[in-house]
Amino acid sequence: MTTYKTSPPPSTSEGMGIFERFLSVWVAMAIVAGVLLGQFAPIVPEVFSRLQYAQVSIPVAVLIWAMIFPMMVQVDFTSILDVRRQPKGLIITTTVNWLIKPFSMFAIAWLFLTVVFAPLIPADRANEYLAGAILLGAAPCTAMVFVWSYLTRGDAAYTLVQVALNDLIMLFAFAPIVVFLLGVSDIQVPWDTVILSVVLYIVIPLSAGYLTRQAVIKRRGVNWFDNVFMKRLAPITPIGLIITLVLLFAFQGDVIIANPLDIVLISIPLILQSFLVFFIAYGWAKAWQVPHTIAAPASMIAASNFFELAVAVAIALFGLQSGAALATVVGVLVEVPVMLVLVRIANATRGHFQTLPEARG
């Protein structure tokens, strides 16, 4: 094993902005605000529920585009040309994300939500929660993984390649996997609705992000894009996410008040899934002697989720008042605490991995 002296990883406060650091707090506050809004101003969710076209909530669609678009703009798809560098890392991330993660999520969520917790959750509600878990499992992380990569001293350029490749695969694999696993769960959804969701929340923002990135860089240069444009765009995602969550919980208020334990029960299989797929990817990378700067981000992509997409599709397929939408939001609630634990594990075990002479990022 080749080792080199490296500087310690950055602290959490240095690597994460205030929104990312306290994401679980913001989600908890959104739950409270949404429930209160639904109980004391029910006219608000009622008005929003009427603003629909083809069963798609127009205000929610706009908010979700606001969440997703800034993430898509930062992905440089020309980085895919660098796939020949360290191909093992790409094999690990694509295999775990598309051939293991969706199915392990389904298995764990099915076991806990419909079997272990059967005395505590009615069958129909358990199936809705399972649908939300499936949507989370089929959507690998796109944006937050750059934070986790930074906190583990990951290779930033290679992380970009991993994310870009997973985003391209998601265009074609997300819908078939979701329809298949929902069908296995006896949850029938029409193909056209799923495809519409993919077009609305993957194809359109991905294309718009790519075209915007190219146009801005061509006109103002990469430095202005990174240091000015992206910084101006950054607040849009958290604002869109929080407003969406407030609206969602305004619709979910009665369910949460009647069944507060459900949030805890939903979180258990989601947390177990994150640890399982992390150690599958991390252990595989160790066995293959993949450098830590590549192994850690690859494992983080597997462990975390593109929860913004999962929330969007859950709302489109099942509605704001569905258990599926609630389950995806629980995924948002537990994501940061779980991922910070995994970051600590990755940093503590760095010495067991091969290390590149120069740590990038």
Side-chain angles (χ1 to χ4, degrees), residues 43-239:
I43 187 64
V44 175
E46 288 174 10
V47 170
F48 275 92
S49 67
R50 291 197 292 267
L51 300 174
Q52 294 186 353
Y53 178 78
Q55 295 184 324
V56 174
S57 171
I58 302 303
V60 172
V62 172
L63 289 168
I64 290 170
W65 284 329
M67 286 192 293
I68 296 175
F69 175 73
M71 301 176 188
M72 297 306 190
V73 171
Q74 67 182 311
V75 178
D76 180 9
F77 289 101
T78 60
S79 64
I80 294 292
L81 300 175
D82 204 20
V83 295
R84 291 171 294 179
R85 186 165 65 91
Q86 292 286 348
K88 290 181 179 179
L90 292 175
I91 292 172
I92 291 172
T93 188
T94 53
T95 301
V96 172
N97 277 316
W98 299 107
L99 297 181
I100 296 175
K101 179 179 179 178
F103 306 98
S104 63
M105 175 68 92
F106 165 76
I108 293 173
W110 176 85
L111 175 63
F112 278 89
L113 296 175
T114 68
V115 179
V116 177
F117 299 150
L120 302 173
I121 306 176
D124 57 343
R125 209 159 67 235
N127 281 336
E128 291 190 11
Y129 297 158
L130 177 58
I134 289 170
L135 293 173
L136 285 167
C141 189
T142 291
M144 288 289 284
V145 70
F146 293 109
V147 176
W148 314 133
S149 177
Y150 176 78
L151 291 176
T152 57
R153 294 190 59 80
D155 184 324
Y158 195 87
T159 301
L160 184 59
V161 177
Q162 292 173 311
V163 169
L165 183 58
N166 275 294
D167 280 354
L168 288 178
I169 294 173
M170 184 161 54
L171 283 172
F172 307 99
F174 180 81
I177 289 174
V178 165
V179 171
F180 172 74
L181 291 177
L182 289 176
V184 171
S185 310
D186 291 326
I187 303 170
Q188 301 302 320
V189 293
W191 262 100
D192 57 349
T193 305
V194 179
I195 293 174
L196 176 61
S197 299
V198 171
V199 171
L200 285 176
Y201 303 123
I202 301 179
V203 177
I204 291 177
L206 201 60
S207 302
Y210 173 78
L211 294 174
T212 302
R213 179 187 179 89
Q214 296 301 108
V216 172
I217 290 177
K218 182 178 180 180
R219 183 175 180 181
R220 305 298 293 268
V222 174
N223 186 61
W224 191 89
F225 174 85
D226 289 334
N227 298 314
V228 179
F229 182 78
M230 285 308 301
K231 288 183 178 179
R232 291 177 180 174
L233 207 61
I236 295 176
T237 290
I239 292 171

Side-chain angles (χ1 to χ4, degrees), residues 274-275 278-279 300 303 337-347:
S274 295
F275 278 90
F278 171 83
F279 282 111
M300 296 297 170
V338 169
M339 294 307 299
L340 288 177
V341 171
L342 295 178
V343 164
R344 292 179 67 89
I345 292 172
N347 287 335

Side-chain angles (χ1 to χ4, degrees), residues 284-330:
W284 185 357
K286 174 67 172 66
W288 258 15
Q289 298 184 339
V290 174
H292 191 268
T293 54
I294 292 172
S299 305
M300 296 297 170
I301 294 173
S304 53
N305 304 299
F306 189 178
F307 52 75
E308 294 88 352
L309 173 63
V311 171
V313 178
I315 292 171
L317 293 179
F318 304 103
L320 279 162
Q321 295 174 288
S322 66
L326 178 61
T328 58
V329 174
V330 174

